């Protein structure tokens, strides 16, 4: 069917280029109209009522948007929108208009021609079905979000979620063009598209699988699809939608490029989002010993090999940041946080943990980052290898729990005479070996008192003291209160 086109763009070259591409295509066109600004567009649109409009979104001000949207709803042209900004806001506006396509400048001729062909096909399809009723005029967006009485038909629901939210408009256009059978309606949202199939549809899952395969053949963005086929005429559409939302959370664990069919939703299990003191100690030991294999095993056991018990993704993200805090302390030990390349990558990993859509990606990024900081720590160690003070204090920090630790042990480790090393410690740090060791032990004791319920006697042994009474006396001398008072007063 021949159609009347209106191209509206503020850039003369863009307008003429789009017009030339349309004229040079094989698409039957009645006429091509041009507008250079929003006011001109409105006048031309109301006078000519074009079938298809190609409009630059950036020419519409916020004040003009409501009236423009109302005009589109009244006349219902086929809408193609363009923008120089590849932002979520532009995608949202395109979805609000139910635009056929959102094209981001600069255009490629191939993309433009493909979009023109899609618009022409949509016009032909509209012409064939122009006398048919609206396919889902008995349902509204509100039915998805507000619990209402169950509708007469027991709809089957499928949700397509795209990993890159910026391309949800493209997904909506693709699904709108796909030849689904017994489809009742399509509802685009900010990061997914909801499909409702009629109660009589027996193969909604198979149709969704084929649609997903075709999408993957044409586009690179991964999809995840959830299909709810269970008969449940007494459950509202809102309840069904919430169930699919819950199941889509599992993509965080399973990844994309798959379809999930379910009858019962999975209950997410609760986990402690923070590392326990023993777990913190395990991480300190693995980092100090450069135990990358131990770290891999810990992370895989904790986050990858979950079986059928899935924690709330939000709690998992917090737990990963708790691990990242231990890594941060390790970085500070070797001054890696002051080096731009490591600091930049640390921030990237933090962002990955917070926003990656798939858990495995965050875990792999974390492992690769740890391997890099181990190399950085090795370089740092080589630089301070000749500094006996730094090496000695590091040795004390790693062995403070040893009840038998003596100055001679540390001096032997740094290959210095005990008397000479004692002199070095005092002259460089202003503290004796005993003061340094006691400071480290009491600091660790304070952590145990605040973060655990272990008895004082056990804490004294864990921090390297033979005699609990001597530990309590030393603690009071250094802190000002007894261990029990410190715990009661929470520090």
């Amino acid at each position: 069917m021949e159609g009347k086109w209106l191209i509206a763009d503020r850039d003369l070259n863009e307008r003429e280029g789009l017009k030339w591409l349309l004229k040079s295509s094989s698409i039957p066109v009645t006429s091509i109209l041009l507008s250079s600004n929003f006011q001109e567009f409105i006048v031309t649109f109301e006078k000519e009522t074009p079938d298809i409009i190609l409009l630059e979104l950036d020419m519409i001000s916020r004040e003009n948007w409501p009236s423009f949207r109302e005009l589109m709803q009244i006349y219902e042209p086929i809408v193609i929108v363009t923008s120089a900004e590849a932002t979520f806001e532009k995608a949202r506006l395109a979805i609000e208009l139910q635009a056929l396509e959102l094209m981001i400048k600069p255009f490629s001729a191939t993309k433009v021609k493909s979009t023109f062909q899609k618009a022409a096909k949509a016009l032909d399809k509209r012409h064939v079905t122009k006398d048919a009723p609206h396919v889902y005029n008995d349902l509204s967006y509100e039915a998805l979000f507000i619990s209402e009485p169950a509708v007469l038909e027991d709809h089957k629901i499928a949700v397509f979620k795209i990993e890159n939210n910026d391309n949800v408009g493209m997904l909506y256009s693709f699904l709108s063009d796909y030849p689904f059978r017994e489809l009742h309606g399509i509802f685009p949202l900010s990061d997914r598209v909801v499909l409702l199939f009629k109660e009589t549809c027996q193969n909604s899952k198979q149709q969704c699988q084929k649609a997903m395969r075709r999408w993957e053949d044409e586009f690179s963005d991964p999809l995840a699809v959830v299909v709810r086929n269970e008969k449940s005429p007494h459950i509202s559409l809102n309840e069904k939608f919430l169930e699919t939302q819950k199941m889509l959370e599992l993509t965080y664990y399973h990844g994309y490029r798959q379809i999930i069919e379910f009858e019962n939703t999975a209950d997410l299990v609760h986990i402690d989002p923070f590392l326990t003191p023993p777990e913190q100690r395990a991480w300190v030991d693995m980092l100090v010993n450069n135990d990358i294999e131990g770290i891999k095993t810990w992370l895989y056991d904790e986050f990858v090999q979950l079986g059928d018990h899935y924690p709330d993704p939000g709690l998992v993200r917090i737990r990963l940041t708790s691990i990242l805090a231990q890594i941060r302390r390790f970085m500070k030990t070797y001054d890696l946080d002051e080096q731009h390349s490591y600091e930049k990558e640390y921030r990237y990993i933090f962002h990955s943990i917070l926003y990656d859509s798939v858990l495995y990606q965050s875990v792999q990024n974390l492992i690769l980052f740890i391997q890099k900081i181990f190399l950085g720590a090795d370089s740092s160690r080589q630089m301070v290898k000749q500094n006996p003070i730094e090496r000695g204090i590091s040795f004390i920090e790693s062995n403070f729990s040893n009840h038998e630790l003596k100055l001679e042990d540390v001096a032997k480790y740094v290959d210095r005479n005990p008397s000479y090393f004692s002199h070095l410690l005092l002259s460089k740090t202003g503290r004796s070996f005993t003061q340094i060791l006691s400071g480290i032990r009491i600091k660790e004791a304070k952590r145990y008192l605040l973060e655990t319920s272990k008895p004082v006697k056990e804490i004294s042994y864990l921090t390297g003291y033979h005699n609990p009474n001597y530990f309590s006396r030393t603690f009071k001398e250094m802190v000002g209160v007894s261990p029990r008072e410190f715990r009661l007063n929470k520090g």
Side-chain angles (χ1 to χ4, degrees):
M1 176 187 174
E2 292 188 356
K4 189 184 295 184
W5 292 62
L6 172 54
I7 299 173
D9 197 291
R10 293 171 296 177
D11 189 308
L12 173 62
N13 292 332
E14 296 282 8
R15 290 197 307 275
E16 293 298 330
L18 291 168
K19 178 182 177 181
W20 182 84
L21 284 172
L22 180 57
K23 289 180 68 175
S24 63
S25 70
S26 59
I27 298 171
V29 176
T30 303
S31 60
I32 304 174
L33 309 166
L34 301 177
S35 297
S36 61
N37 56 59
F38 182 70
Q39 289 72 26
E40 190 177 323
F41 166 81
I42 293 296
V43 171
T44 305
F45 183 89
E46 291 181 337
K47 180 180 178 182
E48 301 290 343
T49 58
D51 304 294
I52 300 170
I53 66 169
L54 196 158
L55 174 81
E56 181 190 12
L57 273 178
D58 308 308
M59 71 162 51
I60 308 174
S61 67
R62 182 172 296 180
E63 294 76 20
N64 289 327
W65 179 258
S67 59
F68 168 73
R69 183 182 55 197
E70 184 178 357
L71 190 67
M72 295 300 101
Q73 291 171 345
I74 293 171
Y75 288 93
E76 296 186 330
I78 293 170
V79 180
I80 301 167
V81 291
T82 68
S83 177
E85 300 179 27
T87 62
F88 171 78
E89 177 62 18
K90 298 301 179 185
R92 187 190 66 79
L93 294 176
I95 293 170
E96 192 172 335
L97 292 174
Q98 296 190 19
L100 182 70
E101 190 71 78
L102 168 62
M103 296 195 300
I104 303 299
K105 299 179 181 183
F107 312 126
S108 70
T110 303
K111 175 65 175 176
V112 172
K113 288 180 179 179
S114 171
T115 302
F116 284 170
Q117 291 287 349
K118 185 186 293 187
K121 289 179 182 178
L123 184 60
D124 288 341
K125 185 177 179 181
R126 178 176 292 188
H127 176 65
V128 171
T129 60
K130 65 180 181 179
D131 297 325
H134 200 273
V135 291
Y136 51 104
N137 58 5
D138 60 327
L139 291 173
S140 65
Y141 273 95
E142 286 81 358
L144 295 176
F145 300 107
I146 300 174
S147 184
E148 297 177 345
V151 294
L152 294 177
E153 186 172 357
D154 184 18
H155 297 98
K156 297 178 179 179
I157 186 170
V159 181
F160 283 67
K161 188 176 188 300
I162 191 168
E163 189 170 15
N164 182 359
N165 293 346
D166 291 339
N167 291 334
V168 72
M170 187 186 302
L171 174 63
Y172 172 61
S173 297
F174 169 83
L175 295 175
S176 298
D177 289 340
Y178 188 83
F180 288 107
R181 296 184 300 279
E182 297 190 89
L183 185 67
H184 192 90
I186 301 181
F187 296 85
L189 305 178
S190 61
D191 64 343
R192 61 200 67 186
V193 180
V194 180
L195 276 63
L196 297 181
F197 290 90
K198 295 181 179 179
E199 184 178 1
T200 54
C201 183
Q202 300 298 317
N203 63 344
S204 57
K205 179 183 178 182
Q206 290 75 9
Q207 291 192 65
C208 290
Q209 284 176 323
K210 291 178 180 179
M212 184 167 67
R213 284 197 294 268
R214 182 180 294 184
W215 167 270
E216 290 180 349
D217 290 340
E218 297 183 20
F219 305 95
S220 59
D221 289 322
L223 290 179
V225 184
V226 167
V227 179
R228 188 190 189 284
N229 273 327
E230 183 187 10
K231 291 185 177 180
S232 47
H234 303 297
I235 296 180
S236 70
L237 189 57
N238 168 248
E239 291 175 286
K240 295 176 185 177
F241 175 66
L242 292 177
E243 287 180 359
T244 62
Q245 300 293 90
K246 191 173 182 180
M247 291 303 293
L248 271 174
E249 292 188 36
L250 298 186
T251 57
Y252 184 60
Y253 301 103
H254 295 306
Y256 285 72
R257 290 194 168 93
Q258 63 174 308
I259 187 165
I260 302 171
E261 184 179 25
F262 73 97
E263 292 184 0
N264 298 306
T265 56
D267 289 326
L268 300 177
V269 300
H270 178 77
I271 60 168
D272 186 345
F274 301 104
L275 295 180
T276 64
E279 288 173 329
Q280 291 178 9
R281 173 55 56 193
W283 268 95
V284 168
D285 291 342
M286 289 188 293
L287 290 169
V288 167
N289 295 314
N290 284 24
D291 185 8
I292 191 63
E293 292 305 317
I295 287 172
K296 285 181 181 179
T297 300
W298 198 100
L299 290 172
Y300 289 153
D301 288 346
E302 184 76 14
F303 298 115
V304 180
Q305 300 166 1
L306 293 170
D308 294 327
H309 302 289
Y310 300 105
D312 183 300
L315 297 179
V316 172
R317 294 183 193 275
I318 296 173
R319 191 158 173 78
L320 283 167
T321 59
S322 185
I323 292 170
L324 198 58
Q326 297 297 319
I327 296 169
R328 184 70 167 177
R329 294 188 186 98
F330 179 79
M331 290 173 63
K332 286 181 175 293
T333 301
Y334 297 97
D335 297 324
L336 300 182
D337 60 311
E338 297 180 3
Q339 299 182 32
H340 177 70
S341 60
Y342 290 106
E343 181 65 15
K344 182 179 179 181
E345 187 145 4
Y346 169 83
R347 294 181 183 278
Y348 169 79
I349 297 300
F350 185 72
H351 187 275
S352 167
I353 288 172
L354 291 183
Y355 301 111
D356 273 351
S357 56
V358 179
L359 173 59
Y360 186 74
Q361 293 174 352
S362 299
V363 172
Q364 287 302 107
N365 287 338
L366 188 60
I367 290 172
L368 293 173
F369 178 59
I370 293 171
Q371 289 175 329
K372 288 184 180 180
I373 65 170
F374 279 170
L375 293 175
D378 285 341
S379 298
S380 180
R381 290 188 189 102
Q382 292 301 320
M383 293 177 63
V384 302
K385 194 170 184 180
Q386 303 306 316
N387 187 333
I389 302 299
E390 294 291 338
R391 293 177 63 216
I393 292 176
S394 178
F395 182 80
I396 296 170
E397 289 176 337
S398 299
N399 295 274
F400 70 88
S401 60
N402 179 2
H403 301 167
E404 306 297 334
L405 185 64
K406 300 181 180 64
L407 171 66
E408 289 75 13
D409 300 322
V410 185
K412 182 178 180 182
Y413 176 77
V414 298
D415 196 24
R416 294 292 190 277
N417 176 276
S419 298
Y420 176 66
F421 181 66
S422 177
H423 169 73
L424 282 178
L425 278 178
L426 192 59
S427 61
K428 297 294 183 182
T429 68
R431 296 182 297 165
S432 68
F433 164 75
T434 302
Q435 289 173 322
I436 293 173
L437 177 59
S438 296
I440 293 171
R441 284 174 169 172
I442 296 302
K443 180 181 178 181
E444 185 69 6
K446 289 163 72 175
R447 187 180 67 80
Y448 274 118
L449 288 166
L450 292 176
E451 298 179 4
T452 75
S453 58
K454 296 179 184 297
V456 173
K457 183 178 181 179
E458 183 180 350
I459 292 174
S460 72
Y461 289 130
L462 289 172
T463 53
Y465 289 94
H466 274 302
N467 189 319
N469 292 329
Y470 177 67
F471 161 70
S472 296
R473 188 165 61 252
T474 303
F475 188 97
K476 187 169 184 178
E477 288 175 358
M478 296 184 66
V479 180
V481 294
S482 70
R484 288 184 175 82
E485 291 172 327
F486 181 83
R487 172 175 275 170
L488 288 173
N489 296 328
K490 300 298 182 183

